[in-house]
Amino acid sequence: MRSQLEVEQKFAVPESFRLADVPFPHRLHADGTLHLESTYVDTADLRLAAHGITLRRRTGGTDDGWHLKLPGPDGRLEVHEPPGPEGTMPPESLRRLVAVHVRDEPLVPVARLRTTRAVHRLRDGRRVLAEVVEDDVTAEALGDDVMLSTWREVEVELVDGGPDVLEELAAALVAAGATDPPAPSKLVRALGDRLQSPADPPRAPSPRDPAGDVVLAYLTEQVAALKDADPGMRRDADDAVHQMRVASRRLRSALKTFRPVLDRARTDVVRGELRWLAHALGDARDTEVLHARLRELLGAEGHPDRDAAAARVDAELGSRYDRAHREVLSDLDSPRYFRLLDELDALVASPPLTDAAGRPAQEVLPRTARKAYRELRRLHDGAHAADSAEERETLLHEVRKAAKRARYAGEALRPAFGKDAKKFAAAMEEVQDVLGEHRDGVIAGQTVAGLATRAREEGEDTFELGRLAGLEEARSAAAEAAYDEAWRSASRKRLRRWTRR
């Protein structure tokens, strides 16, 4: 499997348009003509296209094979696999990357495109800054009724150039008569009205809006975040485990916090399944964090003892992460996960709202944040009065989780309640962070002790591991001391004035 980040821009051009006539600021070099044939596959109800995803088998170019294009904030991620025999379905490796949308549905051919492509490259010495292509396209939308269409377009894709190159080329094309394309991709243009137009982005909610609308906007955002993280989780991309786990936790927390506007008879079942998913992700994420933490403390390599300690940390935590990641992937391929996705889709499409959901948000929702804080306060008081260090440690872990729920409540209400909710969430996050640092230090210390024991049994020097244990003990103690200051800030009454509306 090969992957690359694709940064490109498309333009619609009339039949009379010729790329050779455009006065570009730099000379383009013609690099031949290609005859491409592409077959696009999707579910019958076009789930991939609806999410801006394309999956095709293309021949006739320099990169024949299966191409999967996934949208992202910095461009589209393009993943390649060999073409295989004609008429075959995409390889399992690509199907898994779209499973969050496809689930149990079969993939079928939905469009076939034939493109005559004139290729031009913008060069700077031996470097290719960008590729500019001129496409003549004939498209067939497949189905009960085949729909034919033809058009011309120009596409600019960065190779080694930066955003300034793309801007210069785009400006020259627009000056020569190129315009924005009528659709974001060839596939969407070929499908025409078979694909529903995307909904307009929702406006920012206000305190006067119905409480149910404010909560639904947040749930919709978090369901999308969970789905967006799924392909990266399967590819083991940086931060994907964290993003998916956070989205699942935010959803679960919201379904609890906003029970006044959501019927718990339906949402409690979904909360249980979200808890299962977060637990499935937990071992992989916790191991990832622990590994990075210990490697940071080990610092620069070069000393024999330090190198030996780093090798043991990498070997044990690396293999632990690999096992945990494989287990997560098995869960993500399970019918149970697909049914959870079905439930989440149904939840945002037809939310089980209570009568209170129709009342103004300012009358209903601030009190949910106040309730979350009260639960946090109760647990804090319990930890403060604990009879033993062990009991205090257990209760501080519960305080951290309650602070996280209060933080999520504030974040969910920030679009409607602005800086008041933002400040509340930030104060709760500080409590969560210092207690998270404290707990991470405790867990890391226990892990290092286990590593040292095994190293000692195998006759290795354990000085560096002992040093790590001491550093973790100090970090944990410092975090616990910082908790008192974080709590004083988080418990200020003025942070909660907005919750008494």
Side-chain angles (χ1 to χ4, degrees):
M1 181 189 297
R2 294 187 296 113
S3 63
Q4 65 186 48
L5 188 65
E6 180 184 68
V7 181
E8 65 179 19
Q9 192 168 350
K10 296 179 184 293
F11 300 89
V13 296
E15 286 296 323
S16 59
F17 185 93
R18 292 295 177 267
L19 202 57
D21 299 332
V22 180
F24 287 111
H26 305 285
R27 181 167 173 257
L28 292 182
H29 299 264
D31 205 7
T33 301
L34 302 174
H35 299 280
L36 310 174
E37 292 197 12
S38 303
T39 299
Y40 291 78
V41 297
D42 202 335
T43 59
D45 55 359
L46 303 176
R47 296 181 187 182
L48 299 184
H51 288 88
I53 298 169
T54 59
L55 179 54
R56 72 186 179 203
R57 180 183 183 274
R58 189 168 75 179
T59 59
T62 58
D63 57 351
D64 287 1
W66 284 98
H67 300 180
L68 170 64
K69 295 188 178 184
L70 300 166
D74 300 319
R76 293 202 296 176
L77 178 69
E78 186 167 350
V79 185
H80 297 241
E81 287 282 17
E86 185 175 359
T88 59
M89 282 290 100
E92 188 63 23
S93 59
L94 297 187
R95 183 181 171 90
R96 282 180 173 170
L97 293 181
V98 296
V100 67
H101 303 297
V102 174
R103 301 169 204 173
D104 303 321
E105 290 297 306
L107 291 170
V108 296
V110 296
R112 186 171 293 112
L113 273 65
R114 295 177 176 84
T115 303
T116 299
R117 167 167 291 180
V119 181
H120 300 76
R121 290 185 169 90
L122 176 64
R123 298 181 181 274
D124 179 12
R126 294 185 177 182
R127 285 198 314 152
V128 177
L129 300 180
E131 184 176 85
V132 185
V133 300
E134 199 171 16
D135 287 344
D136 288 280
V137 184
T138 300
E140 296 176 86
L142 306 176
D144 294 337
D145 297 314
V146 175
M147 183 172 63
L148 297 176
S149 55
T150 61
W151 67 87
R152 301 187 74 239
E153 68 180 34
V154 170
E155 181 179 306
V156 180
E157 181 176 351
L158 290 180
V159 182
D160 292 327
D164 56 323
V165 173
L166 187 61
E167 290 176 6
E168 286 184 355
L169 294 174
L173 287 166
V174 170
T179 60
D180 290 335
S185 69
K186 289 181 173 68
L187 174 62
V188 172
R189 187 165 183 178
L191 292 174
D193 58 9
R194 294 184 182 179
L195 184 66
Q196 291 185 347
S197 300
D200 293 332
R203 63 173 180 82
S206 79
R208 295 179 297 278
D209 287 339
D213 289 359
V214 175
V215 172
L216 180 58
Y218 182 73
L219 292 176
T220 301
E221 177 185 323
Q222 297 309 315
V223 170
L226 189 149
K227 291 179 181 179
D228 288 345
D230 179 287
M233 178 69 218
R234 294 173 186 272
R235 295 175 51 248
D236 202 14
D238 289 345
D239 208 38
V241 183
H242 174 59
Q243 294 299 327
M244 194 171 198
R245 192 186 192 192
V246 166
S248 66
R249 283 178 163 177
R250 282 177 170 156
L251 281 166
R252 183 165 167 257
S253 181
L255 295 180
K256 178 179 181 179
T257 298
F258 300 121
R259 280 174 175 168
V261 300
L262 296 168
D263 182 0
R264 63 179 300 177
R266 178 172 163 193
T267 60
D268 279 0
V269 175
V270 182
R271 283 192 72 241
E273 291 303 279
L274 286 167
R275 182 178 185 179
W276 161 76
L277 178 59
H279 179 75
L281 294 163
D283 194 22
R285 175 56 182 168
D286 292 343
T287 303
E288 185 178 52
V289 170
L290 179 60
H291 193 177
R293 182 185 181 95
L294 295 182
R295 288 298 269 133
E296 177 190 3
L297 285 179
L298 278 167
E301 298 180 2
H303 188 281
D305 291 342
R306 189 169 297 176
D307 290 351
R312 180 166 289 274
V313 167
D314 289 344
E316 296 212 18
L317 295 184
S319 61
R320 184 191 300 180
Y321 176 80
D322 289 341
R323 287 194 302 272
H325 189 257
R326 287 195 299 271
E327 290 174 3
V328 174
L329 294 185
S330 178
D331 288 329
L332 296 189
D333 286 333
S334 70
R336 183 175 185 178
Y337 174 60
F338 293 157
R339 299 296 74 78
L340 169 59
L341 294 172
D342 291 342
E343 287 289 339
L344 291 173
D345 285 346
L347 184 70
V348 298
S350 181
L353 300 176
T354 65
D355 291 342
R359 292 163 53 193
Q362 60 193 359
E363 295 179 11
V364 178
L365 297 182
R367 71 186 65 171
T368 62
R370 184 166 74 247
K371 183 178 180 181
Y373 171 78
R374 286 175 176 171
E375 174 65 8
L376 171 61
R377 178 88 208 201
R378 182 184 69 79
L379 290 167
H380 163 80
D381 291 344
H384 186 71
D387 295 328
S388 66
E390 292 78 10
E391 181 185 5
R392 175 175 167 81
E393 179 63 36
T394 299
L395 288 173
L396 284 179
H397 181 47
E398 294 303 313
V399 172
R400 182 178 68 89
K401 293 192 290 186
K404 187 184 300 182
R405 289 192 292 270
R407 168 197 168 187
Y408 290 163
E411 289 177 347
L413 298 180
R414 185 172 59 191
F417 294 91
K419 64 181 181 180
D420 289 333
K422 180 179 180 180
K423 290 178 180 178
F424 176 85
M428 300 303 111
E429 184 178 9
E430 182 62 23
V431 173
Q432 174 196 335
D433 285 348
V434 295
L435 289 180
E437 174 68 13
H438 168 66
R439 182 165 178 80
D440 286 349
V442 171
I443 298 300
Q446 294 170 349
T447 301
V448 171
L451 293 175
T453 297
R454 287 187 287 280
R456 193 177 302 112
E457 291 171 350
E458 296 174 16
E460 295 179 11
D461 188 291
T462 60
F463 174 81
E464 277 298 317
L465 293 174
R467 185 180 71 88
L468 277 186
L471 289 172
E472 287 296 358
E473 183 178 355
R475 288 177 74 174
S476 181
E480 188 170 358
Y483 169 55
D484 292 336
E485 178 59 32
W487 179 256
R488 279 192 291 271
S489 297
S491 58
R492 291 174 298 175
K493 289 184 179 179
R494 66 173 179 267
L495 272 178
R496 303 186 302 281
R497 286 174 185 162
W498 68 282
T499 70
R500 294 186 173 88
R501 296 187 183 189

